[in-house]
Amino acid sequence: MTSQFLWVIFPYLCIAVFVVGHIFRYRHDQFGWTAKSSEFIEKKQLMIGSLLFHIGIFPVILGHVGGLGIPKEWTRAMGVSDHMYHMGAVWGGGFFGVVTLVGMIILTSRRFTNSNVRHLSSASDLIVNSFLLLIVILGVYSSLITNTMTPGFDYRSTISIWFRSLLIFQPQAEFMASVPIAFKLHILTGFLIFAMWPFTRLVHVWSVPLNYVGRSYILYRKDKRN
């Protein structure tokens, strides 16, 4: 029963809250759909931390999508051996994970230790920062430590199959039984942050100003009276 809740009910519940929560917030709180930038209070740490975080997080996301969504049979068919894939995932993913971690440490430290930034932060801001830091720590630990200390474990034969089974609505919780605890905690906290997403400043991720690309230039004319 516990296994079914953790690896079937809980993920679907988090996804449902993620979708419904975004719809609700967009319809009822569009003016609160903002990142609430604190750049005017402190800029140096924000710039360094944000740069490192974003440099690391995009390859990490792509790695997760590829590792979870692409079966090992496909990579083998493309000539990528399991060992080659494993080394790339561990060391490539580990490198970008560490970059992301350093960025998150800087951003989280800034939010908690800078009195002005902390005064501007809401409780949800502090919780989200802490959770994101925890998720990244667990991810880096799983990639660099757990993968090394558990040579017989292959997440593409366990976690990936379980994840794809969720996507086709035929969940197979049994594949998570032998997964190391670090990976399990990384997954559960990851789903939890998705459930929290609509109710925090994380919604600003979807506010990409695409309309600026095709927007007409703004013309400024000098006032001839001056």
Side-chain angles (χ1 to χ4, degrees), residues 7-26:
W7 310 119
V8 180
I9 298 174
F10 183 71
Y12 283 135
L13 181 62
C14 290
I15 293 171
V17 173
F18 177 84
V19 174
V20 176
H22 273 91
I23 295 173
F24 178 84
R25 182 164 182 187
Y26 185 77

Side-chain angles (χ1 to χ4, degrees), residues 117-165:
V117 175
R118 181 165 184 172
H119 181 72
L120 186 67
S121 305
S122 64
S124 68
D125 295 334
L126 301 176
I127 293 172
V128 164
N129 261 91
S130 301
F131 254 87
L132 285 175
L133 179 59
L134 175 61
I135 291 169
V136 176
I137 290 173
L138 289 170
V140 172
Y141 182 87
S142 299
S143 180
L144 296 180
I145 306 300
T146 304
N147 268 323
T148 304
M149 300 297 292
T150 318
F153 172 70
D154 182 4
Y155 76 89
R156 291 199 296 166
S157 299
T158 52
I159 299 174
S160 297
I161 297 176
W162 161 78
F163 182 77
R164 293 195 295 271
S165 75

Side-chain angles (χ1 to χ4, degrees), residues 1 3 5 24 35 40 61 73 94 100-101 114 126 175 194 196 203 211:
M1 184 61 183
S3 178
F5 174 79
F24 178 84
F40 65 94
I61 292 173
E73 291 77 14
T100 306
L101 176 59
N114 187 302
L126 301 176
F175 281 99
F194 271 96
M196 296 166 59
V203 293
N211 60 311

Side-chain angles (χ1 to χ4, degrees), residues 182-195:
F183 278 98
K184 289 182 176 179
L185 291 175
H186 181 59
I187 294 168
L188 292 174
T189 51
F191 272 108
L192 187 57
I193 200 69
F194 271 96

Side-chain angles (χ1 to χ4, degrees), residues 63-82 85 154-165 167-168:
H64 278 66
V65 172
L68 296 175
I70 301 177
K72 63 167 60 179
E73 291 77 14
W74 293 16
T75 54
R76 288 173 180 170
M78 291 186 290
V80 180
S81 68
D82 291 350
Y85 183 94
D154 182 4
Y155 76 89
R156 291 199 296 166
S157 299
T158 52
I159 299 174
S160 297
I161 297 176
W162 161 78
F163 182 77
R164 293 195 295 271
S165 75
L167 297 181
I168 61 175

Side-chain angles (χ1 to χ4, degrees), residues 6 16 32 45 64-65 77 83 87 105-107 122-123 125 127 135 151 158-159 163 199 206 210 223-224:
L6 291 178
Q45 284 184 306
H64 278 66
V65 172
H83 177 71
M87 295 302 293
I105 290 174
I106 294 173
L107 293 175
S122 64
D125 295 334
I127 293 172
I135 291 169
T158 52
I159 299 174
F163 182 77
F199 313 105
W206 315 119
L210 296 178
D223 190 345
K224 296 180 178 180

Side-chain angles (χ1 to χ4, degrees), residues 29-118:
D29 185 31
Q30 289 191 36
F31 289 107
W33 196 287
T34 173
K36 300 177 183 177
S37 177
S38 57
E39 183 178 357
F40 65 94
I41 294 177
E42 194 284 323
K43 190 172 183 177
K44 184 176 180 180
Q45 284 184 306
L46 176 63
M47 182 181 67
I48 296 173
S50 182
L51 179 63
L52 290 173
F53 176 79
H54 287 93
I55 288 175
I57 196 64
F58 288 113
V60 167
I61 292 173
L62 290 176
H64 278 66
V65 172
L68 296 175
I70 301 177
K72 63 167 60 179
E73 291 77 14
W74 293 16
T75 54
R76 288 173 180 170
M78 291 186 290
V80 180
S81 68
D82 291 350
H83 177 71
M84 187 187 304
Y85 183 94
H86 178 75
M87 295 302 293
V90 171
W91 298 111
F95 170 77
F96 286 109
V98 170
V99 173
T100 306
L101 176 59
V102 173
M104 272 307 306
I105 290 174
I106 294 173
L107 293 175
T108 305
S109 173
R110 171 183 177 272
R111 189 164 295 281
F112 276 89
T113 61
N114 187 302
S115 58
N116 291 327
V117 175
R118 181 165 184 172

